[in-house]
Amino acid sequence: MSNHLTLSVEQSPVMNTYTRFPVTMVKGKGSFIWDEKEDKYLDFTSGIATCNLGHVPGYVHDKVQEQLSLLWHCSNLYHIPSQEKLAKLLIYNSFGDQVFFCNSGTEANEALIKLARKHAEMRGKDSRKIITFKHSFHGRTLAALSATGQEKLQQGFAPLVEGFQHLEFNSFEDLKVLETIEACGVLLELVQGEGGVIPANKEWVLKLAEICKQNDLLLMIDEIQTGMGRTGSLFAYQQYGIIPDIVSLAKGLGSGFPIGALIASNEVAQAFNPGSHGSTFGGNPLATSAGLATVQYIVENQIAQDAQKLGSYLVEKLEELQKDYPQIKEVRGLGLLVGVVFEGSALDVVKKLLAEKVLTLTAGEHVLRILPPLNASKDEVDLFVKTLENVLSGE
Ligand SMILES: Cc1ncc(COP(=O)(O)O)c(C=O)c1O
């Protein structure tokens, strides 16, 4: 007999891993999303930096629909045209030479960790340690969680995976420590997204990259939140003047269709060979059609440049607001990955904005995280800023 009778009337059939707002979303278009009562919301979360081209972008929709009537799934034992085209496009637009596909950000980082370790083995290096940073977020599987620099997320999941050491982000002092550590690589976000929208200091990143080069450490960038135009360039590393060895991607790569990827230099990619790693669904025709259409659209329509301009406009407006509202302590970010630091609870602001039909996120206790679609309009930004002002003036 099914055990459904043992569920209480109130208990959700879905496990309790998210604190959900009491709203049910059913439809989206562009910067807007509608709930089941047909109420319309301005969505400045973009599905947490995933729907970077807004909801149901026409070009991607059409390409996925074409693929839907051709072939949904085909194992990686055969060649998949959209997978190979997407890999070529990512390579053409980045430092990299080869791509591995998976289904999410955490899987991309899991693959990244495995690749770095295998590369160390290939090179005959003793240490398999990977250096990451405090307040970072790299995902929820055990290795990605062990790489993550937030103890509260690791609580209850011991034993964690060995071989990670967390240094202080943006600390020149800790770079001196890095110079003395035996390790095989360094993994970092260039803007810590979940950790509080904290951009990496450019000089610090350049110094870090120099140490990586001198000490034969792989430079690995988690671009899962910062990639796909979000920060004003296709990849954030392009604004820092560095050349990574591995980059992990997901979120915006499929415009909302689940997909993750690793881009690696030729030398590093050689560490994987048949049997080293794999994924049944990774690189499947539907996901890579979504990815291919997304990257084509972003590159051909200079969406990253638009994000950079709109990001500056949004920050300018928020800084104007800051002059009148001392609750705002700081406005920071890169491109359209923007954080507003409040004296009090950011969640309170999110809830008040939700009541006004505007969706936003937090990043820690005090930071309101704003992630508009990269192709949002100035009018939509104005609407957002006006609503935020109304909320703050009513406090
Ligand atoms: C920087 C970063 N890395 C990894 C992840 C994990 O990605 P996913 O939730 O797709 O597994 C996230 C998700 O928020 C992220 O922001």
Side-chain angles (χ1 to χ4, degrees):
M1 193 171 68
S2 146
N3 67 355
H4 73 275
L5 293 176
T6 62
L7 293 176
S8 71
V9 179
E10 301 81 28
Q11 187 170 323
S12 165
V14 178
M15 282 197 201
N16 192 23
T17 55
Y18 284 83
T19 308
R20 292 186 166 84
F21 295 104
V23 189
T24 304
M25 299 305 185
V26 294
K27 188 177 81 177
K29 191 69 203 161
S31 302
F32 293 93
I33 191 162
W34 284 260
D35 71 10
E36 60 185 347
K37 294 183 219 136
E38 299 200 0
D39 283 345
K40 182 181 176 185
Y41 299 76
L42 179 67
D43 183 0
F44 270 17
T45 71
S46 300
I48 321 188
T50 292
C51 307
N52 280 359
L53 298 175
H55 290 287
V56 197
Y59 182 71
V60 182
H61 169 272
D62 293 352
K63 294 289 175 188
V64 172
Q65 200 158 56
E66 269 171 37
Q67 188 62 49
L68 258 176
S69 49
L70 279 177
L71 182 68
W72 292 14
H73 182 76
C74 164
S75 119
N76 279 303
L77 294 171
Y78 310 97
H79 290 273
I80 299 172
S82 52
Q83 181 183 126
E84 290 175 11
K85 283 185 194 156
L86 175 56
K88 277 188 190 154
L89 195 59
L90 289 171
I91 291 163
Y92 184 74
N93 286 288
S94 74
F95 71 97
D97 303 301
Q98 276 195 315
V99 180
F100 170 79
F101 288 107
C102 51
N103 311 291
S104 68
T106 199
E107 279 178 64
N109 281 335
E110 197 74 20
L112 174 148
I113 292 160
K114 285 181 72 178
L115 182 62
R117 287 185 174 187
K118 205 86 171 100
H119 178 256
E121 184 197 53
M122 182 178 94
R123 297 277 307 274
K125 278 191 91 168
D126 289 336
S127 182
R128 303 290 142 86
K129 188 188 271 182
I130 295 177
I131 306 304
T132 64
F133 293 90
K134 293 183 185 157
H135 307 294
S136 61
F137 183 77
H138 299 296
R140 303 281 191 166
T141 53
L142 270 178
L145 185 65
S146 307
T148 292
Q150 300 190 49
E151 276 174 24
K152 65 175 192 280
L153 302 179
Q154 297 167 339
Q155 195 68 41
F157 296 112
L160 295 173
V161 175
E162 286 176 16
F164 297 96
Q165 183 172 341
H166 304 99
L167 298 183
E168 208 64 60
F169 192 63
N170 277 339
S171 159
F172 282 92
E173 208 48 43
D174 273 18
L175 286 189
K176 289 189 197 142
V177 179
L178 179 65
E179 283 182 297
T180 63
I181 296 174
E182 279 292 311
C184 68
V186 177
L187 170 64
L188 75 154
E189 298 158 89
L190 290 170
V191 181
Q192 290 191 326
E194 304 298 312
V197 191
I198 306 168
N201 172 297
K202 195 168 175 185
E203 299 307 313
W204 179 78
V205 172
L206 287 171
K207 181 77 190 149
L208 185 145
E210 192 187 306
I211 296 171
C212 285
K213 207 169 194 121
Q214 278 163 4
N215 294 8
D216 197 20
L217 301 171
L218 292 179
L219 178 58
M220 304 182 285
I221 311 292
D222 179 337
E223 293 256 15
I224 288 160
Q225 191 156 157
T226 54
M228 310 326 298
R230 171 61 54 191
T231 63
S233 47
L234 187 60
F235 305 109
Y237 81 80
Q238 292 163 328
Q239 293 178 61
Y240 279 84
I242 53 169
I243 300 178
D245 297 294
I246 315 180
V247 156
S248 52
L249 295 175
K251 287 190 179 282
L253 181 55
S255 289
F257 212 99
I259 181 169
L262 269 196
I263 310 177
S265 67
N266 204 25
E267 197 267 329
V268 176
Q270 298 317 308
F272 271 172
N273 40 49
S276 309
H277 196 48
S279 163
T280 295
F281 289 122
N284 71 78
L286 282 178
T288 47
S289 293
L292 179 61
T294 301
V295 182
Q296 275 171 344
Y297 192 89
I298 291 176
V299 172
E300 284 166 20
N301 296 284
Q302 299 178 343
I303 297 294
Q305 286 90 323
D306 290 352
Q308 202 243 321
K309 280 188 213 134
L310 199 66
S312 303
Y313 181 71
L314 171 61
V315 166
E316 197 182 297
K317 293 277 154 191
L318 290 168
E319 282 171 348
E320 275 171 28
L321 213 59
Q322 186 184 7
K323 289 182 194 138
D324 296 327
Y325 296 92
Q327 304 96 304
I328 299 181
K329 293 286 144 210
E330 191 188 346
V331 178
R332 64 188 181 210
L334 196 64
L336 277 174
L337 174 43
V338 177
V340 180
V341 187
F342 282 93
E343 173 83 22
S345 156
L347 184 59
D348 280 354
V349 180
V350 167
K351 286 180 181 164
K352 286 176 185 162
L353 284 168
L354 176 66
E356 300 304 319
K357 307 274 180 279
V358 171
L359 307 186
T360 50
L361 299 156
T362 58
E365 206 181 325
H366 300 289
V367 183
L368 178 75
R369 189 168 28 148
I370 309 161
L371 298 167
L374 309 185
N375 54 359
S377 67
K378 269 188 164 180
D379 285 352
E380 288 160 355
V381 167
D382 289 342
L383 172 63
F384 167 76
V385 175
K386 184 81 209 125
T387 314
L388 180 61
E389 177 163 22
N390 291 344
V391 159
L392 297 180
S393 65
E395 274 186 344

